[in-house]
Structures are given as structure tokens and as C-alpha cells.
Amino acid sequence: MTPPGGRRWFGRTGRPSAPGQNVVLTLDEGIQYIVERELDAAIATSHARAGTVVVEDPRTGEILALANRPTFNPNAFADSDSEVIRNFAVSGIYEPGSTFKIITMASAFEEGEATPDEQVDCQNGIINVAGHTIHDWKAFGVLTVTQAFENSSDVCAIKLAMRVGNDALYHYIRGFGFGTATGIELPGETRGMTKPPERWWKASIGAIAMGQEIGVTPLQMVAAASTVANDGLWAKPHILRESKPVMMAENHEVSLDRRVISPQTAARMQRLMQGVVDVGTGKTAKPKGYTAAGKTGTAQKLDPVTGTYSLHDFVASFVGFTPVES
């Protein structure tokens, strides 16, 4: 049976329920169907080895759809490969790349270190951080902060992160939920990989500003973008219709919702992320009939043989929300 709102009901019927017999999920059957169909199509088009999609209601934290590919037959669970049955959305760790600039930019706005219209010299796409030269994907000159975000300039992100500083940037990284499990009611969730500033090396702030030297899960990234959509409030993701009002993380109580950035900063980020979809690197993500906001990311994978970033293997991602107004 399907209750109001299209949520799927799983369980027994016909007699009074006993504890453990019924599970009601937040998944929306219609959205779940679309997600699986589009994920299959995207993998076929891109020839990707794997893919994950998570859809969340940013106001409530309800997970409306979640899918991983490749998948497996649950009726033949014992015969499935361990990598296939792993829920990458909550247990897979990857370097997010430029989607992480959402956190970098929001921290700069919140700390008063930048404004959307401020002009930044992107130095023809080259910056040196502690003796390490970093190149933009394109030789940008002077751009506004908004233009730099729309075009995903690494140089601008690094400059703003250096203004914010190691300690403050780390504060926002943790505030947005990285380095801590969300507490979703799914097995195998990991906290990702972060390290405190005292363990950063001199060039770490440059790498982290553009989404390297940090490991996140898809669910953490979705929850972070949802924080921007939710006017600066982080909402605990959950997949059961009823969840407790608090979660436990590292022996501390964390409230269901917590403020990470001000509504003013969130509004700025919403406009910047809309620009990414309207005129920037995320134009192909714009749906027909709706406004949308988001951020693209292309992260080089580490080559296990050389220990350096691969020139051929990437993790491509997009995170965003629609419609922008609601």
C-alpha cells in the first residue's frame, strides 16, 4: 500500500503489528524510478564504472531516492560480489573536487572575507602554494567572485580559503557535516576522511579549498548542499519516516537541525549556485520548466601504482537543488 505523498510502505498487513514487523521508508516510488532510469542512462552514455544518486528533501532530511550502480539481486545476496553489495552512497569515500568549493565559498562569505561582486585576479590560471604550482583548467584573468564560482576557478577558491585560514575553514568543514557520520538508518556508514589543521601541511589549504585531501561520502555532500538550500540549517538525513530528534556523533549529542551559516550567506550561495546552472559549468543540469542551482566537480583519482593523481581516471559529480525559490 502507498500512503499519502507516494511513500512506499513495507510490512505485513491483516493483523496487529508487533515490533520489528513494519518498516516505513521515506523513499518516493516515483522519484526512485526516475533516479534509477536516469542513472542507468548516464552510465551508459559516459561509460562510467559506477554511479550513485541521492535525492533529499533539504527541509526535513528525508531521503526520497537512493540508487547505486552496479547493483545486485537481493535474492542472490550470497553470490554477489562484496563491492557490488556495498552502499556507496553512505560507505564510499571519494575526493569531491570542485563541488567542495561550496564550503570554501560559504566560509569566505560567512567570515566577511569576500563579497559576490568583489574582483579577484586569477593570475592567468596559475597560483603557487607553499612551493606547489596549481593550474586552473583555463587561464582566467580578473573575475568577480561570482564569475569565478560559476567557472570553477581553483585559483580564486584557494585565494579565498587562505583569507579564511586553516582553523576557520576546518570549523566550517565540520559544521557542514564532514568527518562525522550523518547517523542515517543504514548499515556501513563511514565518517569520511578529514584531519585537523595541526596535521595539515603547508599546501593543504590550497588542496582542500578545491576538494582534494579530503574524503567525503555522496550522502555528506548532498546534506551539505541541502544546508544551503535550507537557508543555512543542516538537517539530519533519514530514510525511516520516524527518527529520533537527536543523533549521536563521537559521544556528543547533535541536534536534528543545526545552523551552519547565516540565512544571508545561504542566500548568496543560492544565487551563485544558480549562476553555475544558468551560465556556468553546470548548464546541462538545468531542468525544463524549473530553476536550478548546483555545483559541478571533476576529481582526479589517485593512481595506486604511481601514488599520484591519474591523468585518465576521474570522479565526475554534480550536487544541487531545484527549484531555487523553494
Side-chain angles (χ1 to χ4, degrees):
M1 59 188 291
T2 304
R7 273 59 171 177
R8 182 69 179 272
W9 184 95
F10 297 88
R12 298 181 180 181
T13 59
R15 59 188 176 86
S17 299
Q21 287 187 331
N22 298 326
V23 176
V24 183
L25 303 182
T26 61
L27 298 178
D28 183 292
E29 284 183 297
I31 299 175
Q32 181 71 27
Y33 169 77
I34 294 169
V35 159
E36 294 193 27
R37 181 190 69 194
E38 296 303 319
L39 179 56
D40 287 337
I43 287 180
T45 301
S46 64
H47 306 290
R49 290 176 57 190
T52 296
V53 177
V54 181
V55 181
E56 177 183 334
D57 183 331
R59 305 293 183 190
T60 65
E62 288 188 346
I63 301 302
L64 304 180
L66 188 154
N68 296 288
R69 293 292 187 271
T71 188
F72 66 98
N73 181 358
N75 294 317
F77 183 85
D79 299 326
S80 302
D81 185 85
S82 60
E83 282 298 305
V84 174
I85 64 176
R86 187 171 66 127
N87 186 350
F88 190 87
V90 299
S91 65
I93 300 175
Y94 70 104
E95 287 189 337
S98 291
T99 55
F100 203 73
K101 290 172 185 171
I102 294 171
I103 287 75
T104 303
M105 194 66 67
S107 66
F109 288 155
E110 190 72 7
E111 290 294 301
E113 296 292 348
T115 62
D117 297 327
E118 177 188 351
Q119 293 190 329
V120 176
D121 183 3
C122 296
Q123 303 176 181
N124 289 318
I126 301 174
I127 189 170
N128 187 286
V129 183
H132 292 263
T133 301
I134 298 171
H135 294 267
D136 254 330
W137 67 276
K138 185 177 180 180
F140 296 112
V142 177
L143 299 175
T144 65
V145 168
T146 296
Q147 291 170 332
F149 188 79
E150 291 169 350
N151 289 282
S152 201
S153 168
D154 291 339
V155 172
C156 179
I158 291 168
K159 282 190 167 186
L160 297 187
M162 292 175 74
R163 293 182 192 176
V164 172
N166 293 9
D167 291 335
L169 181 60
Y170 182 71
H171 166 78
Y172 289 102
I173 290 171
R174 295 306 300 265
F176 273 100
F178 300 102
T180 304
T182 67
I184 193 171
E185 311 92 339
L186 289 170
E189 184 181 24
T190 178
R191 66 178 62 186
M193 294 190 299
T194 61
K195 53 187 178 183
E198 56 267 24
R199 292 174 53 199
W200 294 8
W201 61 304
K202 291 183 179 180
S204 287
I205 194 164
I208 292 170
M210 56 183 185
Q212 295 179 352
E213 271 193 49
I214 187 165
V216 309
T217 68
L219 181 64
Q220 287 175 334
M221 202 68 237
V222 169
S226 292
T227 301
V228 174
N230 195 27
D231 300 328
L233 287 173
W234 184 92
K236 176 186 177 296
H238 59 99
I239 202 164
L240 297 183
R241 287 301 305 273
E242 296 181 5
S243 59
K244 296 179 181 180
V246 299
M247 60 174 283
M248 299 302 294
E250 297 182 357
N251 298 320
H252 297 285
E253 281 196 353
V254 180
S255 63
L256 184 64
D257 293 336
R258 65 173 182 269
R259 179 156 299 284
V260 181
I261 52 176
S262 66
Q264 293 78 14
T265 294
R268 282 179 166 180
M269 290 304 304
Q270 290 166 12
R271 290 192 292 270
L272 260 65
M273 292 172 71
Q274 183 174 1
V276 170
V277 175
D278 285 344
V279 299
T281 57
K283 289 191 290 291
T284 57
K286 187 171 185 177
K288 294 180 180 179
Y290 293 91
T291 58
K295 185 72 189 74
T296 54
T298 305
Q300 294 169 283
K301 297 180 69 174
L302 282 173
D303 187 324
V305 176
T306 65
T308 59
Y309 285 106
S310 171
L311 299 177
H312 310 288
D313 296 328
F314 301 89
V315 176
S317 62
F318 177 86
V319 63
F321 46 89
T322 187
V324 179
E325 300 80 13
S326 179

